[in-house]
Amino acid sequence: MTSPAPPSSCVFCQIVHSVGARTSSLALTSLEPDVYVFLATRSHIAILDHQPLVSSLSHILLIPRTHAVRLSDVPDYELPDLGPILKLLGRAICDCFAVDDYNVVQNNGPAAGQLVPHVHFHIVARPSTYLAAAAAPAPSGSVTAAAAAPATLRDRTRYSSTIFARGERTDLDPSCAEQSSKILRQYLDEHLPLWLRPKL
């Protein structure tokens, strides 16, 4: 199925258009308040999510430049870049934010939880402290530092609601996204392979 022409109201198409052909990550800046672009390749851009998940250290959105509503609609010529970019972004959040664990999530259609009708991937850094916080508390009421993965259904439910909870972040100050974007931009400018960079 071929994707329809991008609607003028598509927020991700607007961001892609604003980025244009800029290729040097270090030349990228905030396009407007709450839109922090830190990666531009020939086929994709990456931004920080303006409403990151509550338990995430860093929540990245990877967006194909070509408008497509579902992953099955993405043109074949963009797919060879997708795997290497996702892998690179996974390494970037681990190295930049000192975590080992992260999610890669991609939703297709409203019933699957897709809010913006333009294909995008969520790459979410997960600090191990959230696993410990979701585990059963020690008898003293404190959380055990060496908590194992939640074992009971109740523990797993509590853990899932913790890591996937949406809501306004209260632990971030206005400069946090700007600083995170700068850190990621510098990392990716050093590590992005030349073959992924757009030809000018």
Side-chain angles (χ1 to χ4, degrees):
M1 179 170 106
T2 304
S3 289
S8 59
S9 60
C10 176
V11 65
F12 288 167
C13 286
Q14 292 170 12
I15 293 171
V16 167
H17 179 73
S18 297
V19 171
R22 283 182 281 180
T23 61
S24 169
S25 295
L26 292 175
L28 296 170
T29 57
S30 176
L31 299 175
E32 57 185 76
D34 301 330
V35 178
Y36 292 91
V37 181
F38 60 86
L39 176 67
T41 74
R42 61 190 184 188
S43 57
H44 296 77
I45 64 166
I47 65 174
L48 294 179
D49 194 311
H50 75 283
Q51 188 182 12
L53 294 173
V54 170
S55 65
S56 64
L57 273 178
S58 179
H59 186 159
I60 293 169
L61 295 179
L62 177 63
I63 304 166
R65 287 181 180 266
T66 302
H67 183 80
V69 176
R70 290 173 171 77
L71 182 58
S72 53
D73 301 330
V74 172
D76 288 345
Y77 62 81
E78 286 193 352
L79 294 177
D81 293 356
L82 184 58
I85 294 171
L86 283 171
K87 181 179 177 180
L88 179 61
L89 290 176
R91 271 202 338 256
I93 60 172
C94 290
D95 291 349
C96 292
F97 301 104
V99 298
D100 294 320
D101 302 332
Y102 59 95
N103 297 99
V104 176
V105 179
Q106 196 274 323
N107 304 318
N108 293 279
Q114 185 179 16
L115 299 179
V116 178
H118 184 128
V119 171
H120 57 285
F121 294 80
H122 300 262
I123 301 98
V124 186
R126 298 299 191 179
S128 58
T129 53
Y130 286 101
L131 180 61
S140 65
S142 63
V143 177
T144 58
T152 68
L153 177 59
R154 181 174 161 223
D155 290 338
R156 287 195 305 268
T157 302
R158 182 172 27 173
Y159 177 65
S160 291
S161 66
T162 299
I163 67 165
F164 294 113
R166 291 188 176 273
E168 193 169 328
R169 292 287 294 269
T170 57
D171 61 331
L172 301 179
D173 62 50
S175 65
C176 186
E178 185 174 355
Q179 183 62 25
S180 293
S181 180
K182 181 179 178 183
I183 291 168
L184 288 163
R185 194 176 299 131
Q186 290 173 334
Y187 180 93
L188 293 166
D189 204 60
E190 293 176 16
H191 293 85
L192 184 68
L194 288 175
W195 65 270
L196 278 173
R197 298 176 193 260
K199 293 178 175 62
L200 295 177

